[in-house]
Amino acid sequence: MSKTIKFSLCSVLIILCSSFLVLKNKTLIFDYPEYWPKPHYDFSKLSMSENEFQLGRQLFYDPILSKDQSISCASCHLQATGFTHVDHDLSHGIEGRIGRRNSMALMNLAWNTSFMWDGGVNHIELQALAPISSKNEMDSSLKEVVDKLNTSRKYKSLFYNSYQDSLVTGQKTLLALTQFIVMLNSYNSKYDKFIRNEDIDIFTQQEKNGLIIFKKNCASCHTEPLFTNNEFHNNGLKLDPYIKDYGRMQITNNPEDSLKFKVPTLRNIQFTPPYMHDGRFETLKAVITHYSSGISHSTTLSERLKNNLDLTHKEKVDLLVFLRTLTDTDFLFNNRFSYPYIN
Amino acid sequence: MIDIFKPETLDILLNTTTFSNGDELSFNLGVSSNMNRTGAHSGALDPSNGMFWSWQSGYINFKIEGISPSCLTRKNKFQFHIGGYQAPHNTLRRITFILNKQTTQLSINLDGFFEDTKLALENQIMVPGAKANELATKFLNTLTIIE
């Protein structure tokens, strides 16, 4: 892959290399295309070791994180669907309790400047706390999880392999989960291959038209190459009177943030329905209809969406076809990210 | 991290330092905004200590919980979880005392906090904001130096 730069952490390595125990550790390479911006995340607390990655992967797929050992991160974040949950509009937690929001797709998280639909979580390392302690999700606490892990021989040894210390702490648990989720990078879609000129003929005329329509109407928020500008906007969804979710305003207490939500990435969008924070749209066709003629006007509606887009039928189809080029099967079927069958 | 119910956390002895008259003792009550922005930390700042909010990242600088007959809440409970690091409601407080004696003790007297708090009206503050900021200032009334 000629257009990909390799990025790894050397300062951590120096310490690790002095001990031969960890020579077995393959150092992780954090890959991304060279024309992408630098990641927002500062990797300095991670060891970037294969062992820490595998520990994080075990934790991500292990229901031990929930109160009654029934739900893992993967219950709501499935790899084949871009690490989100596709059957439900609102996510389901332990005992079938229903949350208030649609699960989010997980990818390219090192570039996120905040997390969750309302940006309430300010750092990737802290994200896991939210589902672990939410009543409707895993209904546990980090303390409870740490206590459980400290009685598990399997985890004591995995923590020892990662940190040369078998004592499980809250910080290490969060860092290991981060080491796994931060590696979930997607940059090999058809769109990426087109942008990198890897195959001149890869895009059909229809897909090229779709890209032009996208750049004109959507890219100001869903900005390339990550397909998000990390901002919060009101994109014209009517308030659901039952859920009454005001989004960003719940975090900032600022009425100007009412009904604003984080602009989500559109990578792998074909595989991540339903769409929006409450999963109100089942199909991409419904999303495009929303933007072209269904915008609900309220005081905080984004300027960019004040005028109906009024796309023709053909333009809508072209746009839809373009959105499908953001699917990255290398990512969706990468064995390194799948359920870990070991022991 | 100080926990009133864990006596061992109440003894923070500074007997290795010698003081002279007029020296200042200063410390922060709470967690700096930088530590609130930089992810998962260890030790006293480990998020498993229960002093970290999960749905809105940030440390709880202090918690006061209890029961009072004047609270018309479930089981008459009151709960103050005070934190928030973002301006204008940064609840971190810098505390400074001028010392006059060699041996001094810092005392926390909670009357100072409850004196003009009407528990009937105000009994659940669990989010950052103006109220939390006000209570952070009120907490300063509880701290005195005993010489």
Side-chain angles (χ1 to χ4, degrees):
Chain A
M1 175 138 319
S2 59
K3 294 260 171 107
T4 302
I5 58 166
K6 312 233 166 203
F7 171 93
S8 69
L9 288 139
C10 300
S11 59
V12 186
L13 269 183
I14 299 163
I15 307 163
L16 293 180
C17 294
S18 59
S19 147
F20 65 88
L21 228 189
V22 291
L23 286 180
K24 278 183 282 176
N25 277 1
K26 206 172 76 195
T27 303
L28 294 179
I29 307 287
F30 187 83
D31 266 350
Y32 62 95
E34 62 182 351
Y35 51 89
W36 279 24
K38 282 227 160 61
H40 174 75
Y41 178 54
D42 159 14
F43 291 78
S44 60
K45 275 189 245 141
L46 302 184
S47 67
M48 296 303 281
S49 67
E50 181 67 14
N51 284 347
E52 194 180 26
F53 173 83
Q54 292 300 345
L55 168 59
R57 183 174 169 202
Q58 288 287 328
L59 289 168
F60 188 86
Y61 283 96
D62 195 337
I64 196 170
L65 299 189
S66 65
K67 188 187 190 116
D68 61 0
Q69 336 265 2
S70 66
I71 300 258
S72 71
C73 305
S75 307
C76 300
H77 299 287
L78 282 95
Q79 179 180 14
T81 56
F83 287 97
T84 187
H85 202 312
V86 294
D87 292 340
H88 307 302
D89 47 357
L90 304 176
S91 71
H92 288 206
I94 75 162
E95 295 170 358
R97 292 180 207 163
I98 299 178
R100 346 179 25 230
R101 289 192 182 141
N102 182 15
S103 176
M104 296 178 92
L106 309 183
M107 67 198 76
N108 305 331
L109 294 172
W111 284 266
N112 275 15
T113 54
S114 67
F115 298 84
M116 312 261 271
W117 285 108
D118 56 17
V121 170
N122 70 8
H123 200 286
I124 188 172
E125 291 165 8
L126 302 166
Q127 170 64 40
L129 281 170
I132 288 173
S133 29
S134 160
K135 278 246 168 323
N136 292 326
E137 294 179 3
M138 297 168 135
D139 192 20
S140 184
S141 69
L142 187 57
K143 168 109 182 32
E144 205 171 277
V145 167
V146 166
D147 290 347
K148 278 198 245 174
L149 296 175
N150 264 320
T151 60
S152 151
R153 282 183 63 186
K154 169 183 151 188
Y155 277 108
K156 299 286 280 181
S157 108
L158 289 174
F159 273 81
Y160 184 81
N161 293 343
S162 298
Y163 304 108
Q164 285 68 60
D165 181 353
S166 64
L167 182 72
V168 181
T169 67
Q171 183 198 35
K172 286 186 214 153
T173 306
L174 294 176
L175 292 180
L177 277 164
T178 303
Q179 181 69 85
F180 177 68
I181 61 175
V182 81
M183 301 304 287
L184 305 176
N185 285 347
S186 173
Y187 49 74
N188 278 329
S189 65
K190 191 172 178 184
Y191 156 84
D192 294 296
K193 290 174 184 161
F194 171 70
I195 292 291
R196 288 198 288 263
N197 278 326
E198 278 170 24
D199 180 352
I200 305 289
D201 300 322
I202 199 166
F203 255 30
T204 62
Q205 191 53 46
Q206 196 179 23
E207 288 163 343
K208 286 181 190 159
N209 284 346
L211 175 57
I212 294 168
I213 298 164
F214 182 84
K215 281 187 191 283
K216 179 158 170 267
N217 299 294
C218 320
S220 59
C221 293
H222 299 285
T223 312
E224 298 162 79
L226 292 150
F227 290 87
T228 170
N229 58 4
N230 273 310
E231 292 173 3
F232 298 88
H233 287 287
N234 173 345
N235 69 338
L237 301 173
K238 230 199 194 84
L239 177 72
D240 180 321
Y242 298 100
I243 313 178
K244 292 212 174 59
D245 190 345
Y246 292 91
R248 185 69 180 155
M249 185 175 84
Q250 280 148 221
I251 301 298
T252 62
N253 288 322
N254 182 349
E256 285 174 23
D257 288 332
S258 173
L259 301 177
K260 290 187 184 172
F261 291 85
K262 193 168 73 179
V263 176
T265 182
L266 300 184
R267 287 181 170 275
N268 298 300
I269 195 72
Q270 177 187 0
F271 285 100
T272 65
Y275 303 108
M276 307 300 170
H277 68 272
D278 54 5
R280 70 178 65 188
F281 299 129
E282 291 289 335
T283 61
L284 283 176
K285 196 164 162 250
V287 170
I288 293 174
T289 307
H290 162 74
Y291 280 111
S292 73
S293 55
I295 297 284
S296 154
H297 288 255
S298 60
T299 50
T300 55
L301 176 66
S302 165
E303 286 296 329
R304 295 162 198 165
L305 295 169
K306 288 226 157 113
N307 303 315
N308 273 345
L309 302 184
D310 279 332
L311 300 175
T312 65
H313 178 70
K314 180 182 173 301
E315 286 169 329
K316 286 187 201 169
V317 175
D318 291 355
L319 180 57
L320 180 77
V321 167
F322 166 72
L323 291 175
R324 293 201 185 125
T325 70
L326 299 176
T327 297
D328 174 359
T329 47
D330 291 0
F331 170 72
L332 298 172
F333 298 104
N334 187 338
N335 287 334
R336 280 182 64 71
F337 304 151
S338 62
Y339 185 87
Y341 291 99
I342 60 161
N343 301 338
Chain B
M1 199 170 105
I2 296 177
D3 183 342
I4 300 282
F5 294 101
K6 291 194 187 134
E8 69 278 12
T9 66
L10 298 177
D11 288 331
I12 307 173
L13 291 176
L14 298 176
N15 52 6
T16 49
T17 334
T18 47
F19 300 106
S20 42
N21 266 5
D23 272 359
E24 270 183 14
L25 169 69
S26 43
F27 57 91
N28 285 338
L29 188 101
V31 181
S32 72
S33 75
N34 184 44
M35 294 308 264
N36 271 282
R37 286 179 215 275
T38 44
H41 300 294
S42 58
L45 297 186
D46 191 306
S48 65
N49 292 333
M51 296 295 278
F52 199 89
W53 278 306
S54 58
W55 70 98
Q56 175 170 15
S57 305
Y59 283 95
I60 299 169
N61 290 338
F62 66 89
K63 276 187 185 175
I64 302 178
E65 297 181 345
I67 296 173
S68 155
S70 47
C71 299
L72 299 176
T73 52
R74 195 168 158 262
K75 298 186 179 159
N76 302 98
K77 277 189 197 166
F78 60 84
Q79 282 174 300
F80 298 104
H81 293 184
I82 305 303
Y85 63 92
Q86 274 165 322
H89 302 305
N90 186 350
T91 52
L92 178 81
R93 292 293 179 273
R94 182 83 183 159
I95 292 161
T96 305
F97 291 106
I98 308 278
L99 303 176
N100 296 315
K101 285 252 175 65
Q102 265 298 326
T103 341
T104 44
Q105 259 191 16
L106 187 70
S107 117
I108 302 179
N109 182 350
L110 290 177
D111 289 349
F113 183 79
F114 289 109
E115 244 158 34
D116 50 3
T117 303
K118 295 215 167 26
L119 283 178
L121 303 174
E122 201 165 80
N123 41 45
Q124 299 273 341
I125 308 289
M126 318 256 280
V127 289
K131 267 278 163 246
N133 208 5
E134 215 175 89
L135 292 180
T137 302
K138 206 180 249 184
F139 191 77
L140 300 181
N141 300 337
T142 66
L143 297 169
T144 44
I145 282 278
I146 307 175
E147 290 176 327

